[in-house]
Amino acid sequence: MNIVSALMTNFYIEDEVQAANVLTQQQISNDKLIALTWQQVEAIDRKREYLLTLMVISEASNHHISSYLSQFVVNDIQSWLGESVVEITKPALPEIMDKLVNLQSSQRDKINQLYIENLSLIESQSDKSKNISMLKSLALFLQIIGLGLVLARDLSWRDYNK
């Protein structure tokens, strides 16, 4: 019985513990990715506010945006969108804003997907924990039965020697 208990502990219980640890690591990884993705959503918000502020200031002062500043903003927006932006002008602004909003929406969808995945990982981890607990209880029960049998044998052996 003790050998069966030891084998259970070494093979089945350890495998279940490792599988539970993998689930925990995946959940931690998803949490980090959620935090990073949320930072990207907030950064896109700041880009949109910056563009609006830039356009309002240039309109209020009746000056065009300098070519250097315009090129800097275009490069920045292109790096976020992954597609070309010709220039930052009032007529082009709604299209740029729509693209940024769509990017934010896709990032939020990614966050939602990771959150749902984490919920399923938590559920799987809970099942693994229950299974581990059951296996440990069974292993302990087998050890107690094994020790009881050894004790019974020793006591009966002593009775035969009298």
Side-chain angles (χ1 to χ4, degrees), residues 18-86:
Q18 287 177 358
N21 288 341
V22 166
L23 293 174
T24 301
Q25 291 302 319
Q26 182 63 41
Q27 184 181 358
I28 290 169
S29 174
N30 285 352
D31 285 339
K32 289 179 182 178
L33 193 54
I34 286 170
L36 289 173
T37 306
W38 190 250
Q39 287 176 356
Q40 288 177 348
V41 169
E42 291 174 344
I44 294 168
D45 262 343
R46 287 190 299 274
K47 300 293 178 197
R48 291 176 55 219
E49 291 169 358
Y50 175 74
L51 276 173
L52 289 174
T53 304
L54 187 62
M55 293 306 291
V56 167
I57 290 173
S58 83
E59 222 177 78
S61 65
N62 288 330
H63 287 74
H64 292 296
I65 302 170
S66 72
S67 62
Y68 174 77
L69 181 59
S70 179
Q71 190 58 42
F72 177 79
V73 173
V74 164
N75 290 339
D76 189 34
I77 299 299
Q78 284 177 349
S79 70
W80 279 93
L81 293 177
E83 57 186 72
S84 66
V85 175
V86 179

Side-chain angles (χ1 to χ4, degrees), residues 138-150:
L138 181 59
L140 182 61
F141 176 74
L142 290 174
Q143 285 178 351
I144 290 171
I145 294 292
L147 290 174
L149 290 173
V150 168

Side-chain angles (χ1 to χ4, degrees), residues 1-9 12-13 134-150:
M1 293 287 178
N2 287 340
I3 292 172
V4 171
S5 173
L7 289 173
M8 269 183 62
T9 301
Y12 296 112
I13 295 174
M134 182 188 70
L135 288 172
K136 284 182 178 180
S137 295
L138 181 59
L140 182 61
F141 176 74
L142 290 174
Q143 285 178 351
I144 290 171
I145 294 292
L147 290 174
L149 290 173
V150 168

Side-chain angles (χ1 to χ4, degrees), residues 44 48 77 80-81 83-86 93-106:
I44 294 168
R48 291 176 55 219
I77 299 299
W80 279 93
L81 293 177
E83 57 186 72
S84 66
V85 175
V86 179
L93 190 62
E95 181 183 344
I96 295 169
M97 288 297 194
D98 286 343
K99 288 178 181 181
L100 289 171
V101 167
N102 290 338
L103 180 60
Q104 277 185 310
S105 178
S106 69

